[in-house]
Amino acid sequence: MFENKDDSSTSIGSLGEFGLIDHLTKNFKIKQKSTVKGVGDDAAVISCDSKKEIVVSTDFLLEGVHFDLSYVPLKHLGYKAVVVNLSDIYAMNAEPTQITVSIAVSNRFPVEALEELYAGIIAAAKTYNVDVVGGDTTSSTTGLLISITALGMVNKGEAIYRSGAKENDLLVVTGDLGAAYMGLQVLEREKEVYKVNPNSQPDLEPYSYLVERQLKPEARKDISGLLKELDVKPTSMIDISDGLSSEILHICKSSKAGCNLFEDKIPLDPQVISTCEEFNLNSTTIALSGGEDYELLFSIKTEDYPKIKANPNLTIIGHITDEKEGIHLISRAGTKIPLVARGWNALKDNG
Amino acid sequence: MFENKDDSSTSIGSLGEFGLIDHLTKNFKIKQKSTVKGVGDDAAVISCDSKKEIVVSTDFLLEGVHFDLSYVPLKHLGYKAVVVNLSDIYAMNAEPTQITVSIAVSNRFPVEALEELYAGIIAAAKTYNVDVVGGDTTSSTTGLLISITALGMVNKGEAIYRSGAKENDLLVVTGDLGAAYMGLQVLEREKEVYKVNPNSQPDLEPYSYLVERQLKPEARKDISGLLKELDVKPTSMIDISDGLSSEILHICKSSKAGCNLFEDKIPLDPQVISTCEEFNLNSTTIALSGGEDYELLFSIKTEDYPKIKANPNLTIIGHITDEKEGIHLISRAGTKIPLVARGWNALKDNG
């Protein structure tokens, strides 16, 4: 789906690899003062500060695995590819500063399509104040592949790991869960409708929040500052990319801890609830296993409870227990259900 | 080509994504003291030193585009994937310190194949003393994709860019050129022979150097130390991944300079010369356009000439001129031939 609808189309081969890189990167502006040298040499150069630590994270996005270009506009894809990486940086309590972007494309993409993709990448870089400092552009035999590496900086000793959760800590999540996954279900359904009747005009209005969460997610750049303001330092933190249950398991495994998660505390948007009913899906299951929420999940000491309890951005959803107690969802009916990485199957198996 | 010949084969699905990452990364040992946190969190954490700068480079390797598994053993592929990235770090005059490794694989690869690949990655990490600090493992619909990002450190202000070459500087190259490309020709020929007669036993002995340069290249980690010993600081530097002519053009473009390259000075291994004759190829063309040599190309001030002239690792192949004079190859016959990015075509067009 190329947003640029005019008929002009330039083949990638006509620019050549170096011409293409020059063409796509000429609009990149350097804003971070730590960027000594961006695109255009064998490597980017970034200045260091002994009071800081650097965090690095990398992600792959593959056509046909992570996205479907039949309903994902390339500009949105570029934006999202950056956001999913930055989310990992925020999950370390760091500020993202630079990204590198590697792209492999088949000849079916004209240069104009890559311009759309890069417009999204540049928009995200602007929103999150990061510099695009390097990358690689190559041809692929099949489709579009994007690999982004994000760098960020955190004050020395202030990185927050998955491993610091302690018994009795409270488990807190930002925002709400499950919307991105339900957005995907809505888009997949529209794609099927479109196949049968290409003239149908989909009405996505009732699903606007869901579709936006799927197509144009944002990373929680506000949380680090909010927690500083509230004078709360999480004991552990992770971002929610694969679904709540999988992230809870990561924290518990890394922290050698157990957890009780309360079903009735899981924050859900009304659109998630109504659309789950429409699709005959269990909204808890969707929140647990849907993924792509890019919210932050963290644990705090119980003494910090008063500081966060009234905050509309934060929801306490459970507490950390001793490792021996295991990792459970406490259902609305009070039943204890073991959480496993694929909450979907787990719930189906257990009730 | 999987070196592990026994019949046991474990499907990737049986381990799951997280199981797979754990399985493949459990043997990674952290050696760099700058690595605060390696694999196992949302991001790796690396300590900073105000006296240093960090360099970052990233590369994509795609099956069917950059490698052919019918004659590239996976262990060699893993090794090479690391080396090509580290070569960029050395080209900045930096020491590589960390890498992240992202891999996408289709189900046709058993876990044992990925173990081979990672064995090569770990071997290279050991040889070059870098830590594998992160990455991503995902499924692909087609083949094997590898994306590696390398980080390195250089003393503040000592990074060497492509842009510093000045008129009258001497152009110097390490090692010899064209062997990796000729190794590829030999392997491609053997593949065709194998297709016709699967029982033929190839004798690669006369091509041993070429095949090794293609399958197991090394990055020039020795040059930075050698130049310090000789008290020479290059004015510009780049690594030779796409062929000599393309790299000379990069230096000249970045430095706003011209260049005279002397055909009779281009260092060629005797196996390159004899195999070029056998394949009826022009060895100069191969050195100019073959690529994958992973040697370093740099410029030095003329006053440094006495310091390097006797060194067997270094060959002076030309000199930098004013931009207006253009970029030329001076042939053995004394003819001036303009260099273009694809030296192959340039030579064909010009005689």
Side-chain angles (χ1 to χ4, degrees), chain A residues 283-302:
Chain A
S283 58
T284 300
T285 308
I286 300 306
L288 287 174
S289 313
E292 297 200 280
D293 293 311
Y294 304 110
E295 296 292 345
L296 294 174
L297 174 72
F298 55 91
S299 54
I300 62 167
K301 293 180 185 148
T302 45

Side-chain angles (χ1 to χ4, degrees), chain A residues 22 41-46 48-50 52 54-57 59-60 66 136 138 142 147 149 162 238-239 253, chain B residues 22 41-44 46 48-50 52 54-57 59-60 66 136 138 142 147 149 162 238-239 253:
Chain A
D22 284 350
D41 217 293
D42 293 294
V45 180
I46 295 162
C48 278
D49 178 339
S50 300
K52 301 268 186 184
I54 290 197
V55 300
V56 189
S57 180
D59 263 311
F60 239 143
H66 300 102
D136 192 12
T138 184
T142 51
S147 174
T149 297
R162 298 175 177 180
I238 192 169
D239 78 316
K253 190 181 163 195
Chain B
D22 284 350
D41 217 292
D42 293 293
I46 295 161
C48 279
D49 177 339
S50 299
K52 302 267 186 186
I54 290 197
V55 300
V56 190
S57 180
D59 264 311
F60 240 142
H66 300 100
D136 193 13
T138 184
T142 51
S147 174
T149 298
R162 298 175 177 181
I238 192 169
D239 78 316
K253 191 182 164 195

Side-chain angles (χ1 to χ4, degrees), chain B residues 58-73:
Chain B
T58 190
D59 264 311
F60 240 142
L61 283 177
L62 279 71
E63 185 179 353
V65 178
H66 300 100
F67 57 88
D68 180 338
L69 288 176
S70 65
Y71 52 76
V72 177

Side-chain angles (χ1 to χ4, degrees), chain B residues 93-157:
Chain B
N93 196 34
E95 281 293 314
T97 45
Q98 286 91 10
I99 56 172
T100 65
V101 179
S102 291
I103 289 186
V105 273
S106 65
N107 283 329
R108 87 169 205 263
F109 293 86
V111 171
E112 288 75 11
L114 294 185
E115 286 171 352
E116 279 294 314
L117 183 73
Y118 269 76
I121 290 167
I122 293 170
K126 207 172 163 186
T127 302
Y128 292 93
N129 198 32
V130 299
D131 291 340
V132 181
V133 296
D136 193 13
T137 308
T138 184
S139 58
S140 103
T141 49
T142 51
L144 175 63
L145 319 163
I146 308 171
S147 174
I148 293 187
T149 298
L151 286 91
M153 301 213 184
V154 57
N155 289 334
K156 197 169 176 174

Side-chain angles (χ1 to χ4, degrees), chain B residues 20-40:
Chain B
L20 182 63
I21 293 174
D22 284 350
H23 180 74
L24 294 173
T25 59
K26 69 179 178 220
N27 293 324
F28 290 171
K29 301 235 177 345
I30 296 300
K31 289 167 294 183
Q32 287 282 346
K33 66 173 197 270
S34 62
T35 305
V36 179
K37 172 77 188 177
V39 172

